[in-house]
């Protein structure tokens, strides 16, 4: 038996082979199969990818830079979309009250919306998963304290907590400082209102995993608790977390839009989709419906697509539904 | 009785358990206790258990479900903290080892093999990483290449191929997984292995393979085993000494062959009578009567008296003390008073011969 050779091969197999292995497994796996079987999910994925890509490459995709004051002309204000009489071929979807092209502003707005969305979901996930792991694995007093905090927070609507934190930061921080760090304030506000869901899910799974024998085996070997949590328990509780994260991305984008619509989120100087909707709202009845309708429709489509993806992921990863 | 040896006089003791006790708090939540006036409830899982395991030997604990044998295993490897009593490893109290370096040095000398081969391996780790975990944790070997070589060696030692390290646990059968589990336990070159029902989740044919592997490893590496099982045929096959537990107490222990031939305690006799046996086909057998009482409210005196055919008033009142026998020790009033008829049994059919 060529045992020595096998060992050598085992050593030589590097990261690249593992990656190729993983990619091959993915495309042969159940997940990819169920993905290709569902046209709705594929369309959702394409929409999401288009949004994310255009947000990332906004300067390349957008016809104009809405923040470049030199390219904005007040004379161009409130031009309707090109297919309506009076439309300007330069502005596909018309312009807003300051003469900024709606399409360009939307692309940059989606950038801010998705940026805040991703960052706050990531923040909520790290916080929630961390606290949930501690709670579920350690149990006892730590568990009781973390879960009671979570219970109390659950009694407040998420948007209320986000409003509270945002309002607090405006009062505490000097005005110009808040103008600079609004992104982080928003991420903190939205993230803090979502961590409970992750914490509860992870806590439940961690309690199940903790009693399994592979965790006890690690304890007998003498692995420190923190390492057991990160290396053994965490990978085994991440499945549901990814599903929640996908669905939460849509909720986070909406929350940001709501906050911005209420005028407490993103400052008007760097408009997100929510800010655009709010600004356009003032012109809705004066006939310039396009200022608010297009960002609104974009937001609705984005959220719907991400939600559908999340739902599909939840079902596809659920072994009972296979 | 002529071949009886004084087994207590073994001097090379590796592991000694002294007056070990473990109580679990199973009280209702604080709020219920305060509002409904419920009391604290303690479950005595292990009650004053003492035994010694000589180096290179196998000591088995048997008993029905819930008698505390698994708890003893968990106490010995440190998964639970003992409520009372001491566990001595080469004469040193394990609870006294608090310094990190010393604790790590002790940890790698004792390892555990678990019951469920489907739960004891992390499903998201490659087998080579699972087996290498103790090596990396205790920094026994440096360098990827050297570790991989050692993992391959361990895999071959338990009868798998070195190339199997690349696979994930779900690609193996139950028996193969248990081999991986054994390889992981051997990775830190331990002297003492605690085996918590390592074969009870396996097919009978695979059980024999695993048991033979464990016996071979014991001979090769001079391992000492604490073996937990409820399968007496398995226990007979692998043990040098056997302890019988009932409701948290060690009611009898002794040298395996002698204990199986001349069981003293009425409970031991009852267990042995319950072993299915081809020769006994068609003959009436004495079934194991009754249920194990709740360990939350154990019977007074000797825990076994409600099920014991020889129970008298004294058994209900006072707990029996250990009494030296030809093979080991027994805790029974009836034996002490000579009320029990001596029995001589044929050895049970071993599951397999090595």
């Amino acid at each position: 038996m060529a045992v020595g050779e096998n060992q050598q091969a085992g050593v030589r197999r590097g990261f690249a082979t593992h990656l190729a292995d993983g990619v091959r497994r993915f495309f042969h796996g159940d997940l990819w199969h169920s993905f290709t079987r569902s046209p709705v999910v594929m369309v959702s994925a394409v929409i999401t990818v288009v949004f994310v890509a255009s947000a990332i490459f906004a300067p390349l995709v957008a016809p104009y830079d809405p923040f470049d004051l030199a390219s904005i002309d007040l004379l161009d204000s409130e031009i309707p979309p090109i297919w309506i009489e009076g439309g300007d071929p330069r502005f596909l979807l018309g312009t807003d009250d300051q003469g900024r092209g709606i399409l360009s502003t939307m692309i940059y707005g989606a950038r801010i919306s998705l940026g805040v969305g991703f960052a706050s979901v990531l923040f909520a996930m790290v916080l929630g998963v961390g606290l949930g792991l501690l709670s579920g694995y350690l149990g006892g007093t730590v568990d009781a304290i973390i879960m009671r905090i979570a219970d109390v927070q659950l009694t407040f609507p998420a948007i209320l907590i986000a409003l509270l934190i945002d309002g607090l930061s405006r009062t505490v921080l000097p005005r110009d400082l808040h103008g600079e760090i609004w992104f982080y304030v928003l991420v903190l506000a939205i993230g803090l209102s979502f961590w409970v869901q992750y914490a509860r899910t992870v806590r439940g799974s961690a309690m199940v995993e903790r009693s399994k024998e592979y965790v006890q085996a690690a304890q007998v070997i003498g692995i420190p608790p923190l390492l057991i949590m990160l290396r053994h328990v965490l990978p085994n509780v991440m499945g549901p977390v990814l599903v929640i994260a996908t669905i939460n991305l849509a909720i986070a984008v909406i929350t940001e839009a709501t906050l911005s619509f209420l005028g407490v989120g993103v400052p008007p100087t760097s408009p997100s989709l929510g800010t655009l909707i709010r600004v356009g709202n003032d012109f809705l009845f004066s006939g310039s419906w396009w200022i608010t309708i297009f960002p609104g429709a974009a937001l609705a489509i984005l959220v719907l697509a991400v939600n559908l993806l999340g739902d599909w992921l939840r079902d596809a990863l659920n072994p009972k539904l296979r | 009785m002529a071949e009886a040896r004084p087994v207590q006089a073994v001097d090379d003791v590796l592991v000694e358990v002294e007056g070990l006790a473990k109580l679990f708090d199973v009280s209702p939540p604080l709020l219920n206790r305060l509002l409904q006036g419920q009391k604290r409830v303690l479950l005595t899982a292990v009650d004053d258990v003492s035994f010694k395991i000589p180096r290179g030997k196998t000591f088995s604990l048997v008993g029905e479900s819930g008698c505390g044998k698994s708890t003893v295993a968990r106490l010995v490897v440190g998964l639970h903290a003992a409520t009372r009593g001491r566990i001595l490893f080469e004469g040193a109290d394990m609870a006294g080892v608090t310094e990190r370096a010393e604790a790590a040095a002790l940890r790698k000398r004792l390892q555990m093999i678990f019951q469920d081969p489907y739960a004891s391996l992390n499903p998201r780790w490659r087998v080579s990483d699972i087996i290498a975990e103790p090596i990396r944790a205790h920094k026994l070997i440096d360098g990827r290449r050297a570790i991989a070589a050692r993992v391959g060696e361990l895999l071959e030692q338990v009868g798998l191929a070195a190339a199997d390290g690349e696979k994930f646990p779900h690609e193996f059968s139950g028996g193969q997984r248990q081999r991986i589990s054994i390889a992981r336990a051997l990775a830190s070159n331990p002297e003492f292995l605690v085996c918590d029902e390592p074969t009870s989740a396996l097919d009978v044919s695979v059980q024999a393979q695993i048991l033979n592997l464990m016996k071979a490893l014991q001979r090769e590496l001079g391992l000492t085993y604490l073996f937990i099982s409820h399968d007496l045929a398995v226990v007979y096959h692998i043990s040098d000494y056997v302890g019988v537990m009932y409701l948290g107490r060690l009611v009898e222990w002794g040298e395996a062959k002698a204990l199986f031939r001349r069981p003293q305690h009425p409970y031991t006799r009852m267990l042995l009578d319950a072993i299915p046996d081809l020769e006994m086909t068609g003959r009436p057998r004495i079934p194991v009567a009754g249920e194990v009482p709740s360990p939350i409210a154990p019977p007074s005196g000797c825990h076994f008296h409600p099920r014991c055919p020889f129970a008298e008033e004294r058994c209900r009142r006072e707990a029996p003390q250990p009494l030296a026998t030809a093979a080991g020790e027994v805790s029974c009033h009836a034996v002490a008073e000579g009320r029990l008829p001596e029995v001589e049994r044929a050895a049970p059919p071993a599951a397999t011969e090595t």
Side-chain angles (χ1 to χ4, degrees), chain A residues 3 213-214 216 221 232 236, chain B residues 74 116 119 122 133 138 156:
Chain A
V3 165
E213 288 175 346
Y214 72 87
Q216 293 173 0
I221 290 168
H232 286 282
N236 285 298
Chain B
R74 266 137 228 268
D116 184 357
N122 190 335
E133 193 178 22
H138 296 299
E156 279 159 32

Side-chain angles (χ1 to χ4, degrees), chain A residues 158-197:
Chain A
I159 193 81
L160 202 64
I161 293 167
L163 273 173
L164 182 79
I165 293 167
D166 192 78
L168 211 64
S169 73
R170 272 163 209 274
T171 329
V172 174
L173 298 172
R175 195 177 171 76
D176 46 342
L177 182 64
H178 184 270
E180 279 169 38
I181 63 162
W182 59 267
F183 182 83
Y184 303 101
V185 172
L186 253 169
V187 167
L188 185 79
I190 299 174
L192 274 185
S193 58
F194 284 138
W195 69 272
V196 173
Q197 220 183 335

Side-chain angles (χ1 to χ4, degrees), chain A residues 1 3 6-8 10-11 13 18 21 25 212-214 216-223 231-232 235-236, chain B residues 74 79 107 114-116 119-126 133-134 137-138 145 148-149 156 161 163 166 184:
Chain A
M1 202 171 150
V3 165
N6 281 338
Q7 275 176 29
Q8 290 299 311
V11 176
R13 289 190 54 171
H18 280 305
D21 236 29
R25 253 205 304 276
K212 286 195 181 161
E213 288 175 346
Y214 72 87
Q216 293 173 0
Q219 289 168 345
V220 172
I221 290 168
I223 312 285
R231 296 216 303 233
H232 286 282
N236 285 298
Chain B
R74 266 137 228 268
L79 280 175
R107 280 223 169 271
F114 291 88
Q115 174 176 7
D116 184 357
S120 61
L121 306 173
N122 190 335
R124 292 180 190 267
W125 282 33
R126 277 175 203 280
E133 193 178 22
H138 296 299
R145 209 167 265 272
E156 279 159 32
E166 284 298 303
R184 171 178 60 191

